[in-house]
Amino acid sequence: MGAPPVAAKIGDAELHYDGRVFKLPVVEGTEHERALDISRLRDQTGLVTLDYGYKNTGSCQSEITYLDGEQGVLRYRGYPVEELAEKSRFVEVAYLLVHGRLPRKEEQQKFSDLLTRHSMIHEDMTQFFKNYPEHSHPMAILSAMVVSLSSFYPEMSQDNVDEELTHIDITTTRLLSKLRTVAAFSYKKSIGEPFVYPRHDLKYCANFLNMMFSSPVRPYEVNPVLERALNVLLILHADHEQNCSTSAVRAVGSAKVNLYAAVTAGICALWGPLHGGANQEVIEMLEEIQKMGGDVKKVIERAKDKKDPFRLYGFGHRVYKNYDPRARIIKKTCMEVLNELKIKDPLLDIAMELEECVQTDPYFVERKLYPNVDFYSGIIYRAMGIPVSMFTVMFAIGRLPGWIAQWKESQEDPDFKIQRPRQIYTGPTVRHYVPLEERG
Ligand code: ACO
């Protein structure tokens, strides 16, 4: 895959400013999304744009993921996410995102073999885990370990980032495979159990479940329903165009750091409760509601109270103004997993009641706030036995192929630029230093 094709220019818009008329090109993407190209605005007019949170700013052209938040559409490289979740496996989707097309049989085999071959982490790195304090958050360990990989795999240095692009197969498989091992090891560390090493005979998701749940005294057999559910969850998280963590990967990558450092930035951004950390917050919120006797109305009132910073976690999205298509699939998978395991989780009943109340409440209806990807995923992870503190780590494993694909695309873009936004300064105008003794 090369750089994304350039969006077609379809005309000009006119800006009337300061008694003059300026022409600004209007460009259109393959799904007919239109944008005003303001790249020469400052040169032409002296103006910059002001757009808090980049709500209305396209930061790049990309051919990886298409998202229509009004219609609830999500496609990876053109394939609807619903089809991929139903028919594909996570490893195949990872290949699709990074390479731009589905693998042929022998490519899939080679990719799986590479994932198996690179699944171990350098034995010296296991020492790091041992020195973390008990109850360290697994996201702290994950981010530190990923950036540390750059010291153990020196070809990923700052000096040869362009050469990295030629080693993308190795880089991708190394990271995809090792992140899963690091994640499982950080869990084992948190519960004080010995690490379980990856097995060559198990596929990607089964291998992860085995590293998490088997132990020398407790044999573990992977349940195929859970393995399938994990594949579905990881596929649904695999990319989501220019979200907060992906933008962090692109921004940090634009300084030409190595891929491990750029991905670490993504992991740190994902940790936040307004982004991937919301899956942990959702379960904690549902548990809180359960403790308060199951009254969902109280939290809804709190979320609506403008004086209270509390938000209803798992609801709302910057881009979706319709039901998040991923949330629909996750809700269905959640029911299947609970049925298979014959679990009756009271948190699911609370979640469904909360969703029902929210859907008829004018505050949420007017603001088009629907459940997002984080709302039901935690209930599945709980049923699998994954602890709450690991939920965002699971999200990171899923999002990794997207981060890599977006990093690769940005590095190969002929219009590559270091990311460096402007600002409107609102501080004091020039003033002069007064010595301490004269300041009173
Ligand atoms: N609970 C209560 N009110 C909400 C919520 C919510 N979860 N989400 C948005 N709103 C309200 C806002 O208060 C605002 O109201 P106003 O217009 O009266 O001021 C309006 O809806 C628009 O919200 P913004 O914050 O402007 O929307 P933005 O696009 O900036 O934020 C975000 C999106 C961060 C996801 C927000 O909806 C939120 O905080 N949700 C809860 C956290 C969460 O679930 N995050 C995970 C998102 S999915 C992901 O990142 C993987």
Side-chain angles (χ1 to χ4, degrees), residues 55 274-275 306 311-312 314-316 318 363 367 369 372:
K55 278 195 151 186
L274 294 190
H275 190 20
K306 291 288 170 203
R311 290 218 155 174
L312 217 48
F315 283 87
R318 168 60 59 80
Y363 174 96
R367 288 169 180 76
L369 301 171
N372 58 45

Side-chain angles (χ1 to χ4, degrees), residues 134 185-194 212-213 218 387:
E134 224 182 304
F185 280 20
S186 61
Y187 169 61
K188 286 296 194 188
K189 156 75 197 176
S190 73
I191 57 168
E193 279 191 6
M212 288 282 291
F213 299 120
R218 197 180 53 238

Side-chain angles (χ1 to χ4, degrees), residues 20 50 148 159 227 320-321 371 403 414 421:
R20 291 174 64 198
L50 182 62
S148 303
D159 304 331
E227 185 187 355
Y320 289 119
K321 302 300 165 204
W403 288 334

Side-chain angles (χ1 to χ4, degrees), residues 144-262:
M145 288 294 167
V146 170
V147 82
S148 303
L149 285 170
S150 60
S151 351
F152 285 86
Y153 300 93
E155 75 268 30
M156 310 286 292
S157 73
Q158 228 138 316
D159 304 331
N160 58 10
V161 70
D162 291 326
E163 269 172 45
E164 267 178 41
L165 292 170
T166 60
H167 299 300
I168 194 71
D169 272 358
I170 294 291
T171 312
T172 304
T173 46
R174 239 187 211 145
L175 249 180
L176 280 168
S177 200
K178 292 186 197 311
L179 192 81
R180 170 190 57 170
T181 310
V182 168
F185 280 20
S186 61
Y187 169 61
K188 286 296 194 188
K189 156 75 197 176
S190 73
I191 57 168
E193 279 191 6
F195 302 137
V196 174
Y197 287 85
R199 268 174 43 186
H200 283 195
D201 59 320
L202 292 178
K203 287 191 183 302
Y204 191 90
C205 289
N207 219 334
F208 174 74
L209 290 170
N210 187 64
M211 282 192 278
M212 288 282 291
F213 299 120
S214 71
S215 87
V217 292
R218 197 180 53 238
Y220 176 77
E221 201 158 316
V222 178
N223 179 329
V225 173
L226 297 193
E227 185 187 355
R228 180 73 215 135
L230 186 54
N231 264 291
V232 170
L233 281 169
L234 297 185
I235 289 170
L236 295 176
H237 286 86
D239 194 50
H240 213 232
E241 50 118 302
Q242 308 314 316
N243 57 84
C244 177
S245 56
T246 302
S247 299
V249 170
R250 278 189 180 255
V252 172
S254 81
K256 290 280 179 190
V257 295
N258 63 64
L259 174 60
Y260 293 125

